[in-house]
Amino acid sequence: MNRLYLLGLIACFTSHAALAWTSPALLDNKQAFIADLMTQMTLEEKVGQLRLISIGADMPRPRILEEIAAGNIGGSFNTVTRRDNRPMQDAAVQNSRLKIPLFFAYDVIHGHRTIFPISLALASSWDLQAIALSGRIAAIEASADGLDMTFAPMLDITRDPRWGRTSEGFGEDPYLVSQIARSMVKALQGATPSAADSVMASVKHFALYGAVEGGRDYNVVDMSPMRMYQDYLPPYHAAVDAGAGGLMVALNTINGVPATANTWLMQDLLRRDWGFSGVTISDHGAISELVSHGIARDGREAAKLAIKAGIDMSMADSLYRQELPALVRSGEVKVQEIDNAVREVLGAKYDLGLFHDPYRRIGIAAEDPAEVNAESRLHRAEARAVARQSMVLLKNRQQTLPLKKTGSIALIGPLADSPIDMMGSWSAAGVAAQSVTLRQGLNAALGDQARVIYALGANVTDDQHIIDYLNFLKEDKPVVVLDPRPPAELIAEALQAAEQADVIVAAVGEARGMSHESSSRTRLDIPPSQQALLRALKKTGKPLVLVLMNGRPLALNWEQANADAILETWFSGTEGGHAIADVLFGDYNPSGKLPITFPRTVGQIPTYYNHLRLGRPFVEGHPGNYTSQYFEEPNGPLYPFGYGLSYTDFDLSELQLSSRSLARDGSLEVSLTLKNTGARDGATIVQLYIRDMAASVVRPVKELKRFRKVTLKAGEQTRVSFSIDEDDLKFFNAQLQHVAEPGEFEVQIGLDSQAVQTQRFELL
Ligand code: BGC
């Protein structure tokens, strides 16, 4: 028996001895145990369990411990070390009357201490194993810090890149995001959420948060039920089916009713239709915001609406605690309604294994790490491997990339050596100083084989209003730090560096705070300070390689026309610099594909690929009036969904169907041969789309239904086949029934969503 396990057992035994709610025999029966515990709880203790507090400056620690001991708190978030959490758990299980343990949550979105690429980048890998690996490691690291729950994954379908939280989601496609939802929930929760190295996934934001009007954060959502069911709800549903233990409710309204007060959403859809049996949590302050939404007169009414609609736990407001006891006494809220919520909170704690051992993830003090922020090398290799899989090669004129490891490289740009930006937003307990910048990555890859000449070239933006916005509330430690020299001087220095080099690598894009909560944009271009730099660099005539760092699709017309190569690296995490270097030098052949469409201009939005068919569609190559288009610019995306280049070439043979008809209980094989016709080994993503040729409601031009990542050596080929059945042809009709209607369908296969070959078949 190893020592850790033994210590765990001792901790477990000690904690059991300290807990006095019920007989140990009941502990093995969740329902009976919780029912028994609830019979012992006062109304105040029940309401206390529904309170999730944010540990911040607003409430001093001694006060928090008192409140916990008084049974007024059910869980907390925003502390990230065992040492932080232990006294709070002590207060709960030693000093409170019923000794009910707390749970500790945190926003672990893309890695915990080892930061993985942002979610949008993870989605760009189209590699479910890689994504799951990032989730598993995040769970291992977060649980080792004493955390029980993460507010992740974020499963909001995003079709408007102006929305800052685009970075936090997995893109625009319901099928791809649903696949990722399943993988992430399973990876975070492991074999069971009660395992010591698992955290419970509290998926968010239920529902439709990604559809805020105009991409402006916290704005309203107004959407037809068909679109909801078809496009926006599937990822949350997939997460619920995968066993997510928690679910965070969105801040937005849905067709006039805020999600936080939406009985249809939380009871009819979530509990009744989907059978969700976990805990629902409001978003930050969302219950009190029901007053601002104008559907509650005051806090009392807000609390009443939220509890009746089905919000089990209130995050970061005290309305439940202030209002629910009186509402129950006056008969406006039934005890039964409180009990339903308490049962779910206790159920989550039970599922987390906390009643069996409240210190399951906190461990014992003797085992605490000496230095919590010490750099761990444990998961760096995985972070590097996942990061390089998440990069998308957007352009590569005359094989500018990969670069040779000789001569000299001018490395220029505000993001070339910015550790904090490498991490992206929501970087949990990541430590900026531990992330590898591109400058460090290039230097490490080159050693003394080639020279790197670095220059900043420009600040990330020169717009003081934007800088102030990004640094707002962070006065003690501004996140955007500027070089005070005038722009012309920075550019002149960059040009000097460029003159001495064989090739220019320009690391440009967004500061991480530009792609974050409450960071909606009206423009999608690279900020003007950096554009001026790029234009100056272009004039040198040297090969210009852009390394993009950003958390949303950008409008890159000038860059596409003028750069020799463009590599989208998103925000690639702790090992980002090494991973980018791997790709730039060809030690890894890029294989990522876009999980979201890149528009040409912001005015084109929305540009999602799976839009409904039109009566007057624009047809490429047939310009003319009275078709659906914008007349000032070319139509269609700059880079379509599913797009991404490689250093090798892939060829797809003619696609074959096993039959021209599909019986209701049958299946159809779609197959072709994929050949690597280039000179390098590489991987690509074969994508299968389906188009319903005629149906009772208007259907999309195409919908992703299958994909496979295939790795082939130079010259190698393989047969790729997919099986399709009736379920893949189903959609929500006008009555919201999930049906497949007979008739003709088109299968489309390609290496992106636009360049596809097609074949038709009939569903009988
Ligand atoms: C965000 C959530 C997050 C919560 C707690 C809110 O502002 O919308 O996504 O989980 O804060 O940090």
Side-chain angles (χ1 to χ4, degrees):
M1 191 183 295
N2 81 32
R3 189 163 155 266
L4 257 185
Y5 182 64
L6 187 64
L7 288 171
L9 274 187
I10 294 167
C12 182
F13 177 77
T14 322
S15 55
H16 278 178
L19 305 175
W21 335 272
T22 189
S23 77
L26 273 186
L27 200 50
D28 290 332
N29 180 332
K30 179 179 170 184
Q31 264 76 35
F33 172 79
I34 290 172
D36 182 68
L37 179 53
M38 283 174 60
T39 61
Q40 303 172 48
M41 296 172 80
T42 63
L43 178 59
E44 278 68 20
E45 282 166 335
K46 286 179 180 175
V47 170
Q49 285 301 307
L50 309 185
R51 184 165 171 225
L52 177 63
I53 62 159
S54 167
I55 308 287
D58 43 345
M59 228 211 273
R61 283 304 168 94
R63 211 10 246 298
I64 291 172
L65 297 184
E66 272 168 35
E67 291 268 324
I68 294 171
N72 290 334
I73 293 174
S76 80
F77 68 108
N78 281 343
T79 47
V80 282
T81 67
R82 292 162 170 240
R83 245 179 263 158
D84 259 355
N85 292 340
R86 189 175 295 106
M88 291 193 274
Q89 195 65 300
D90 288 346
V93 301
Q94 289 167 20
N95 302 341
S96 74
R97 188 180 77 88
L98 287 171
K99 311 192 184 323
I100 298 173
L102 298 175
F103 71 77
F104 301 94
Y106 198 45
D107 289 284
V108 179
I109 311 292
H110 52 105
H112 179 61
R113 288 197 176 268
T114 309
I115 301 304
F116 282 79
I118 58 166
S119 304
L120 194 62
L122 291 173
S124 305
S125 73
W126 296 52
D127 187 321
L128 298 177
Q129 278 180 351
I131 296 169
L133 180 67
S134 76
R136 189 84 282 277
I137 290 173
I140 290 170
E141 293 186 352
S143 56
D145 263 344
L147 297 170
D148 304 300
M149 181 188 281
T150 170
F151 302 134
M154 188 192 101
L155 302 175
D156 307 320
I157 292 290
T158 314
R159 290 172 164 184
D160 192 329
R162 288 174 294 181
W163 193 45
R165 304 195 81 166
T166 299
S167 59
E168 225 183 304
F170 299 100
E172 72 187 24
D173 183 65
Y175 178 78
L176 180 60
V177 181
S178 298
Q179 299 286 318
I180 295 173
R182 273 186 213 103
S183 302
M184 260 300 185
V185 167
K186 294 199 152 109
L188 290 166
Q189 297 192 162
T192 153
S194 67
D197 66 355
S198 291
V199 290
M200 184 172 276
S202 190
V203 302
K204 65 190 186 189
H205 304 84
F206 190 63
L208 324 182
Y209 186 21
V212 285
E213 276 183 4
R216 182 157 51 79
D217 213 355
Y218 319 125
N219 204 358
V220 298
V221 174
D222 210 300
M223 187 185 288
S224 76
M226 250 195 298
R227 172 169 285 187
M228 247 184 234
Y229 276 79
Q230 193 61 38
D231 298 331
Y232 281 81
L233 293 175
Y236 312 110
H237 195 177
V240 166
D241 281 349
L247 179 138
M248 186 188 292
V249 177
L251 293 163
N252 52 277
T253 56
I254 297 176
N255 297 347
V257 182
T260 305
N262 203 315
T263 307
W264 164 77
L265 185 72
M266 285 180 281
Q267 290 179 24
D268 300 353
L269 183 68
L270 181 67
R271 299 266 183 212
R272 186 195 65 201
D273 297 350
W274 294 359
F276 178 67
S277 60
V279 63
T280 57
I281 300 176
S282 79
D283 201 345
H284 203 282
I287 299 179
S288 53
E289 286 171 21
L290 294 178
V291 179
S292 320
H293 277 299
I295 69 147
R297 263 188 313 271
D298 50 24
R300 179 183 167 87
E301 197 176 6
K304 181 171 138 187
L305 287 172
I307 192 82
K308 283 184 176 285
I311 297 281
D312 298 330
M313 253 191 144
S314 91
M315 178 194 284
D317 60 33
S318 40
L319 287 180
Y320 269 10
R321 184 167 139 55
Q322 279 163 26
E323 308 294 349
L324 287 182
L327 282 164
V328 170
R329 284 184 198 111
S330 71
E332 288 164 87
V333 168
K334 299 193 199 79
V335 176
Q336 184 60 40
E337 287 167 323
I338 306 284
D339 283 355
N340 289 343
V342 175
R343 198 173 300 115
E344 302 304 351
V345 175
L346 297 178
K349 293 181 178 183
Y350 185 97
D351 294 341
L352 280 164
L354 293 172
F355 285 112
H356 290 80
D357 179 5
Y359 297 89
R360 174 156 294 203
R361 297 178 186 81
I362 297 174
I364 57 169
E367 295 288 322
D368 282 353
E371 156 61 283
V372 281
N373 286 327
E375 181 172 341
S376 159
R377 303 224 134 245
L378 276 185
H379 300 125
R380 281 197 173 254
E382 290 90 339
R384 180 171 181 164
V386 173
R388 55 196 204 173
Q389 292 180 69
S390 71
M391 292 171 191
V392 186
L393 183 62
L394 298 175
K395 180 178 181 187
N396 196 15
R397 201 176 70 87
Q398 293 179 340
Q399 299 181 342
T400 306
L401 293 178
L403 300 175
K404 294 187 196 62
K405 288 184 181 170
T406 54
S408 50
I409 298 171
L411 174 65
I412 292 167
L415 297 163
D417 200 22
S418 173
I420 192 162
D421 289 306
M422 295 307 292
M423 300 198 297
S425 71
W426 293 108
S427 50
V431 176
Q434 290 169 14
S435 49
V436 179
T437 67
L438 179 54
R439 186 182 187 184
Q440 292 165 336
L442 290 192
N443 281 324
L446 292 172
D448 50 17
Q449 289 170 271
R451 195 156 74 101
V452 177
I453 312 158
Y454 165 78
L456 181 76
N459 282 311
V460 73
T461 172
D462 289 334
D463 185 327
Q464 194 57 45
H465 167 77
I466 296 175
I467 297 161
D468 292 346
Y469 187 82
L470 297 176
N471 286 338
F472 180 63
L473 290 186
K474 304 181 184 84
E475 300 90 348
D476 52 329
K477 204 173 165 212
V479 286
V480 181
V481 183
L482 301 183
D483 188 313
R485 288 175 289 168
E489 197 178 322
L490 296 176
I491 291 182
E493 186 182 71
L495 291 175
Q496 234 177 26
E499 287 307 336
Q500 302 168 53
D502 306 314
V503 57
I504 303 167
V505 173
V508 292
E510 300 181 298
R512 69 171 189 154
M514 291 178 177
S515 277
H516 187 48
E517 182 179 350
S518 190
S519 291
S520 299
R521 294 186 64 189
T522 56
R523 306 167 53 157
L524 292 178
D525 43 12
I526 292 177
S529 57
Q530 300 180 63
Q531 281 184 39
L533 168 68
L534 292 181
R535 283 177 164 79
L537 292 173
K538 172 70 184 170
K539 288 200 189 123
T540 64
K542 303 265 168 135
L544 179 60
V545 175
L546 301 192
V547 170
L548 297 177
M549 298 186 194
N550 47 288
R552 50 156 66 83
L554 297 177
L556 299 167
N557 281 328
W558 185 91
E559 291 77 4
Q560 169 65 19
N562 290 285
D564 294 284
I566 307 178
L567 181 67
E568 177 58 82
T569 70
W570 310 109
F571 294 111
S572 48
T574 306
E575 279 288 308
H578 287 320
I580 300 170
D582 289 341
V583 175
L584 290 179
F585 295 119
D587 296 321
Y588 181 81
N589 187 351
S591 57
K593 300 277 186 178
L594 295 177
I596 188 165
T597 307
F598 273 46
R600 294 171 191 275
T601 64
V602 75
Q604 268 187 313
I605 296 167
T607 48
Y608 57 91
Y609 84 95
N610 48 348
H611 59 85
L612 295 184
R613 288 169 65 181
L614 300 180
R616 294 186 179 190
F618 173 74
V619 181
E620 198 60 58
H622 295 281
N625 295 348
Y626 304 107
T627 63
S628 186
Q629 62 182 297
Y630 296 104
F631 65 78
E632 304 123 301
E633 313 196 33
N635 282 274
L638 184 63
Y639 306 119
F641 175 82
Y643 171 83
L645 305 171
S646 165
Y647 295 153
T648 189
D649 295 311
F650 292 100
D651 182 59
L652 287 170
S653 73
E654 200 179 311
L655 106 87
Q656 289 187 333
L657 301 188
S658 58
S659 162
R660 292 276 156 199
S661 61
L662 172 61
R664 291 283 166 165
D665 55 356
S667 65
L668 189 87
E669 291 294 310
V670 183
S671 59
L672 40 60
T673 300
L674 174 73
K675 182 165 187 190
N676 179 346
T677 55
R680 285 173 174 269
D681 302 350
T684 190
I685 320 286
V686 184
Q687 303 159 38
L688 183 152
Y689 299 85
I690 286 192
R691 174 180 194 153
D692 193 338
M693 299 311 293
S696 60
V697 295
V698 177
R699 304 282 298 117
V701 290
K702 61 183 71 189
E703 291 173 294
L704 182 70
K705 291 292 176 183
R706 292 280 185 282
F707 60 88
R708 185 159 313 140
K709 183 169 180 181
V710 184
T711 304
L712 292 175
K713 296 208 176 314
E716 197 186 353
Q717 64 179 47
T718 188
R719 199 81 191 146
V720 180
S721 61
F722 299 100
S723 174
I724 295 174
D725 61 28
E726 184 190 348
D727 276 348
D728 299 310
L729 311 180
K730 285 189 173 160
F731 62 96
F732 289 92
N733 66 14
Q735 290 73 43
L736 298 181
Q737 295 152 332
H738 202 215
V739 295
E741 295 176 354
E744 209 178 10
F745 291 83
E746 187 174 83
V747 183
Q748 309 181 355
I749 291 207
L751 300 179
D752 67 55
S753 62
Q754 268 186 355
V756 291
Q757 348 172 6
T758 63
Q759 289 273 356
R760 291 193 184 180
F761 70 91
E762 179 113 6
L763 175 67
L764 301 174

